[in-house]
Amino acid sequence: MRIIRKESIFNYVNVILLSLLSIATVVPLIHIVAKSLSSETYLLAKEIWLWPKGFNVASYEYVLSYKQFYISFWNSMIITVVGTAISMAVTTLAAFALSRKNFPSKRGFMLFFVITMFFSGGLIPTYLVVKQLELLNTLWSIMLPMALAPFNLILIRNYFLSLPEALEESAIMDGASNLRVLAWIYLPLSIPTIATIAMFYAVGYWNSFFQAMMYITDRGLMPLQVFLMQIVTNSKTGDMTTGGVLSELTPESTTAAAIICVVFPILCVYPFIQKYFVKGVMLGAVKG
C-alpha cells in the first residue's frame, strides 16, 4: 500500500513538473504570436502578453513583401530535405555496418565516432577543409559537414542490435544480401527510430545559421535563418523599408512576425512525427 502511494505521489509530481515545463515552453511562443498580431500603439505601451490587441497583420505583410524571403525559404527547404536524406542514408548504413558481429574493428570505429562527440577539429580547420573541397558559397557546405551525428548513429545502431538475429539469419538463408536485409527487414521494423532521427536532422538543417554565416556570402544562397537575422537587425537599426516605402511598424512586431514565419513550417511537421518521438528514442536506447 505504501509503495502504491509513493508511486502515486511520484506520478502527480511528475505531471506537475512536466506541465510547468510545457507552459514555460509554450508561453513565449504565444507571446511572440500576440506581439506579431498587435498594433503599434499597444506594443509601445507594453500592454501585450498572451493576447493580441489592435489586431493587424501588417508585420507579416512587411516580412512577406521581401523577395529574398521566398528565395531563402526555398534554400532552407532544399537544405532540409536533401540534407536530411543524405544524413539518414549515411547514418543508417553506418549503423547497420557497426551492428554486424563480423564487422572488423567495429569497436575502434565506434570509439572514433564517440570521440567526435566530445572533441571537434575546431572552427578554422573545418573552414579550411570546406574551402579546400571548393564547397564555399554552395548549399553543400551546410549539408555535407552535418551529414553524420554520432549520437543519432548510436541510437540507430543500438536499435539494430536489439532486433532478433533469427530474422537476419532466415533472410540470409533465402539468399538475401546485406542491403536487402537492411531494406526489407531492418528499416520496416525501425520506423519509429528512423522517423525520430530524421526529425532531429531536419530541425538541425532547418535551423542551420552559423554554418551559413561562415560558408555562404551569396545572397541567392542565403537560408531562412540568415534572412531572419537581417530582418531583426534592420528593425533594430530603424532600416525598415520595403520598396523604398517607410514602414510604420515597430521593431518588436516585425521581429516577432519574422520569427513566426521561420518557425511555422517546421512546427507543421511535428504533429505527424510526434507519436514516434518517445518510442523511437527509447527503442534506440534499449541495448548498448
Side-chain angles (χ1 to χ4, degrees):
M1 190 71 180
R2 181 176 298 177
I3 295 177
I4 296 176
R5 180 173 297 179
K6 288 183 179 180
E7 290 182 354
S8 300
I9 294 174
F10 173 78
N11 290 334
Y12 283 125
V13 173
N14 196 26
V15 169
I16 292 173
L17 291 178
L18 290 177
S19 299
L20 293 175
L21 181 62
S22 301
I23 293 172
T25 304
V26 173
V27 166
L29 181 61
I30 298 176
H31 177 66
I32 292 175
V33 173
K35 290 176 65 175
S36 67
L37 296 173
S38 299
S39 65
E40 176 186 9
T41 303
Y42 296 101
L43 283 170
L44 293 176
K46 306 295 182 181
E47 297 181 5
I48 307 301
W49 190 47
L50 297 179
W51 191 259
K53 295 182 179 180
F55 182 87
N56 74 84
V57 293
S59 55
Y60 290 96
E61 294 176 353
Y62 170 74
V63 174
L64 297 177
S65 65
Y66 277 95
K67 181 181 179 181
Q68 183 63 42
F69 174 84
Y70 302 98
I71 297 174
S72 298
F73 182 86
W74 177 247
N75 291 334
S76 290
M77 287 293 296
I78 295 175
I79 293 170
T80 302
V81 174
V82 178
T84 301
I86 294 174
S87 293
M88 290 308 301
V90 172
T91 305
T92 303
L93 291 173
F96 181 74
L98 293 173
S99 66
R100 305 300 86 202
K101 289 185 176 180
N102 58 352
F103 184 78
S105 304
K106 66 177 182 180
R107 290 185 179 274
F109 280 102
M110 281 303 303
L111 179 62
F112 173 79
F113 286 118
V114 171
I115 288 177
T116 61
M117 296 175 62
F118 303 98
F119 304 98
S120 65
L123 179 61
I124 296 178
T126 303
Y127 179 86
L128 293 177
V129 170
V130 173
K131 182 179 179 180
Q132 290 297 321
L133 293 175
E134 298 183 356
L135 297 177
L136 294 180
N137 272 327
T138 66
L139 298 182
W140 297 111
S141 64
I142 300 177
M143 293 183 284
L144 294 183
M146 299 171 59
L148 180 65
F151 177 76
N152 296 337
L153 168 66
I154 293 172
L155 287 180
I156 297 180
R157 171 186 174 271
N158 288 348
Y159 181 71
F160 285 166
L161 288 173
S162 69
L163 295 177
E165 296 181 8
L167 295 174
E168 179 181 357
E169 293 174 356
S170 62
I172 293 176
M173 291 178 62
D174 291 335
S177 63
N178 286 329
L179 285 178
R180 194 174 184 86
V181 170
L182 173 63
W184 291 92
I185 296 178
Y186 278 72
L187 292 184
L189 294 175
S190 309
I191 291 178
T193 300
I194 296 297
T196 303
I197 300 304
M199 192 62 192
F200 288 165
Y201 275 124
V203 172
Y205 281 114
W206 183 264
N207 291 331
S208 58
F209 167 76
F210 187 66
Q211 294 84 356
M213 291 291 294
M214 286 196 301
Y215 306 137
I216 294 178
T217 58
D218 185 355
R219 288 183 59 85
L221 298 174
M222 180 190 301
L224 201 55
Q225 299 297 333
V226 180
F227 171 75
L228 169 63
M229 184 270 296
Q230 290 189 352
I231 287 288
V232 173
T233 302
N234 292 341
S235 65
K236 289 183 177 180
T237 57
D239 184 16
M240 300 174 61
T241 58
T242 306
V245 179
L246 180 64
S247 174
E248 298 296 335
L249 300 171
T250 60
E252 290 83 0
S253 65
T254 306
T255 301
I259 292 173
I260 297 301
C261 289
V262 172
V263 172
F264 180 75
I266 201 68
L267 284 180
C268 294
V269 182
Y270 271 103
F272 301 98
I273 308 295
Q274 183 181 6
K275 62 181 180 180
Y276 296 118
F277 274 2
V278 176
K279 185 178 180 181
V281 174
M282 291 300 295
L283 287 175
V286 170
K287 187 175 181 180

